[in-house]
Amino acid sequence: MTAPESGIIVPVKRSATLRQTVGYVIGDALDRAADGDVAVVHFVSVASWRAEDPGSDRERQRAADLLEQVETWAGFELDEADADPDAVTIETAVIGDTDYLFSPEDYADLLTEYAGQHGLGRVVVDPEYSLVGHTTLVEPLEFELAQRDLAIEEAPVDRPTRRGRLVSRTTPARFLTLFGTSMLFYQVLGGFSGLFDLVTGVATALIVATTLSSVSFYRDPTLRESPKRVLRGVIYVPYLLYEIVVSNLVVARVILDPRLDIDPRLTKVRVFVGSGFPLTTLANSITLTPGTLTVKADDQELYVHSLVPFAREGLFDGALERWVRFVFYGREAARFPSPRDRGDTDVLQDPDADEPANGEPEAVADGGVDCSGDDTQEGDQ
């Protein structure tokens, strides 16, 4: 890369040290401008959502609001330094909303590509910057960036004393919801049998809510939507059990009857259920159904190993996808064309073929996908 060293890219996300990081970057850019360098700073928000996800407009607006706040802070720093507002060129952008980013390597690839497109040679990282959810992982990100042709620097700012990890990351809504759910579940198992079960139930629910409320929800539950999703989820469970039983019978018949051939294939299905918990629900539902195994999720594309044609055809018909859409978004969202109707299905490997179909990654022996030369990263959702 031939990017000028003075060009800086700064990934931003709300944190206790973001304000200080902005101040440091602007100060550094002013010093370089005083030395005659061209001072350019790009503040970028790396999307944690996909453009097709339900609710993505709201997430994009939040990112835009944060970037506007960062730009305001940068203006304050220039005013405090009594500097010419044109001395430092400040740009903001939201990037990565068309890709699934899971690992530090994915983030590093995206930032490197953006830096190359805009002629930037340095990355300054907020020490409290988080990649996935509340996970910081700054050191792995810095390691990955160091492997590229970029100068990497962690902003030398004062980091606040950390409070207890779980307590600081929960909210009253998440805590109370998980406490109530755990308490009810405990009492159902105990049969509401008396004071002892009540006391032990409260103690158990407190432990569960204290330790898991920060990791059990991908957003705060609401009185308007959460009860509806729970009710729709209760309706979904019998259907999923039915599919599991039917698939068990089909797979058992294929195994026990030597006249029936097992026809394993690696398939790719593009789904539209949103990222996070909805995508995880669909991927796990597919895996729970005998005959199919989700081996990889790449954005909204699921790589699924199917054992028999019956399982593969059911996957392409999209019944589970429609049910998951119903659970999270309601009845109207369930009225959606199947992957087969949309043309979002692909058999990646024909067992009788010498080469992978359609130029897709070749299936490997452990059921994964050979992604050499590809930017995707295997991981759980």
Side-chain angles (χ1 to χ4, degrees):
M1 182 186 298
T2 59
E5 188 180 353
S6 55
I8 303 174
I9 178 174
V10 186
V12 300
K13 186 172 284 190
R14 293 192 184 278
S15 74
T17 54
L18 177 58
R19 176 68 179 87
Q20 299 177 62
T21 298
V22 172
Y24 168 76
V25 170
I26 296 301
D28 182 79
L30 286 173
D31 291 341
R32 292 178 178 276
D35 293 336
D37 294 334
V38 177
V40 179
V41 180
H42 285 239
F43 295 101
V44 297
S45 174
V46 182
S48 58
W49 71 93
R50 309 284 72 75
E52 307 93 345
D53 290 354
S56 60
D57 291 341
R58 180 177 64 253
E59 297 296 334
R60 175 174 285 277
Q61 185 58 50
R62 290 178 179 173
D65 291 342
L66 176 60
L67 290 172
E68 183 178 356
Q69 181 67 70
V70 167
E71 198 166 5
T72 300
W73 287 339
F76 288 159
E77 293 296 329
L78 292 172
D79 290 340
E80 286 290 326
D82 196 22
D84 183 354
D86 297 329
V88 179
T89 301
I90 299 173
E91 301 287 345
T92 61
V94 177
I95 62 175
D97 60 351
T98 59
D99 305 303
Y100 174 74
L101 305 176
F102 178 77
S103 69
E105 181 181 3
D106 296 334
Y107 277 72
D109 288 340
L110 179 65
L111 293 172
T112 302
E113 179 182 0
Y114 182 90
Q117 292 172 351
H118 295 84
L120 310 174
R122 296 176 59 215
V123 181
V124 176
V125 181
D126 176 2
E128 293 290 316
Y129 182 77
S130 59
L131 276 68
V132 183
H134 296 294
T135 306
T136 304
L137 295 179
V138 169
E139 291 79 5
L141 175 61
E142 292 176 345
F143 174 80
E144 291 293 342
L145 288 170
Q147 310 308 308
R148 279 82 173 165
D149 293 329
L150 288 171
I152 175 70
E153 178 183 2
E154 184 175 304
V157 299
D158 294 330
R159 305 175 70 172
T161 302
R162 291 182 178 269
R163 297 165 57 195
R165 177 181 178 185
L166 296 175
V167 175
S168 63
R169 293 176 182 174
T170 190
T171 65
R174 298 182 186 190
F175 182 89
L176 293 176
T177 300
L178 190 56
F179 174 84
T181 303
S182 302
M183 179 68 178
L184 179 61
F185 182 70
Y186 188 94
Q187 295 304 318
V188 168
L189 292 180
F192 302 92
S193 57
L195 181 60
F196 177 78
D197 280 340
L198 180 63
V199 174
T200 55
V202 170
T204 302
L206 280 173
I207 294 173
V208 172
T210 300
T211 56
L212 298 180
S213 59
S214 62
V215 297
S216 298
F217 299 96
Y218 70 106
R219 63 180 59 177
D220 285 351
T222 63
L223 293 176
R224 180 181 177 183
E225 294 296 331
S226 296
K228 295 179 182 178
R229 290 178 178 173
V230 170
L231 179 59
R232 294 194 293 258
V234 171
I235 298 173
Y236 172 58
V237 169
Y239 172 78
L240 179 60
L241 292 176
Y242 167 78
E243 288 291 333
I244 291 174
V245 170
V246 171
S247 298
N248 262 307
L249 294 175
V250 171
V251 172
R253 180 170 180 261
V254 171
I255 293 175
L256 296 175
D257 191 342
R259 295 171 298 177
L260 300 177
D261 292 330
I262 295 177
D263 185 28
R265 305 284 182 94
L266 183 65
T267 62
K268 181 177 73 172
V269 181
R270 181 167 177 80
V271 298
F272 293 92
V273 295
S275 61
F277 194 28
L279 185 64
T280 302
T281 300
L282 177 58
N284 287 338
S285 296
I286 291 172
T287 297
L288 285 172
T289 307
T292 51
L293 172 68
T294 304
V295 297
K296 180 181 178 182
D298 181 13
D299 191 4
Q300 293 288 285
E301 292 181 345
L302 296 180
Y303 291 81
V304 181
H305 183 272
S306 58
L307 186 63
V308 294
F310 173 84
R312 185 162 50 254
E313 294 303 313
L315 177 68
F316 290 171
D317 287 338
L320 286 176
E321 178 188 0
R322 285 192 291 269
W323 271 93
V324 170
R325 289 179 62 86
F326 165 73
V327 170
F328 287 93
Y329 311 115
R331 183 165 47 185
E332 290 298 324
R335 297 169 183 169
F336 200 70
S338 69
R340 190 197 309 276
D341 294 335
R342 302 192 307 263
D344 287 331
T345 65
D346 201 1
V347 178
L348 302 184
Q349 179 64 59
D350 187 328
D352 298 326
D354 294 329
E355 299 293 336
N358 303 320
E360 295 291 347
E362 184 175 358
V364 295
D366 62 359
V369 177
D370 183 1
C371 295
S372 58
D374 195 349
D375 291 332
T376 57
Q377 176 73 24
E378 186 170 354
D380 295 333
Q381 302 299 304

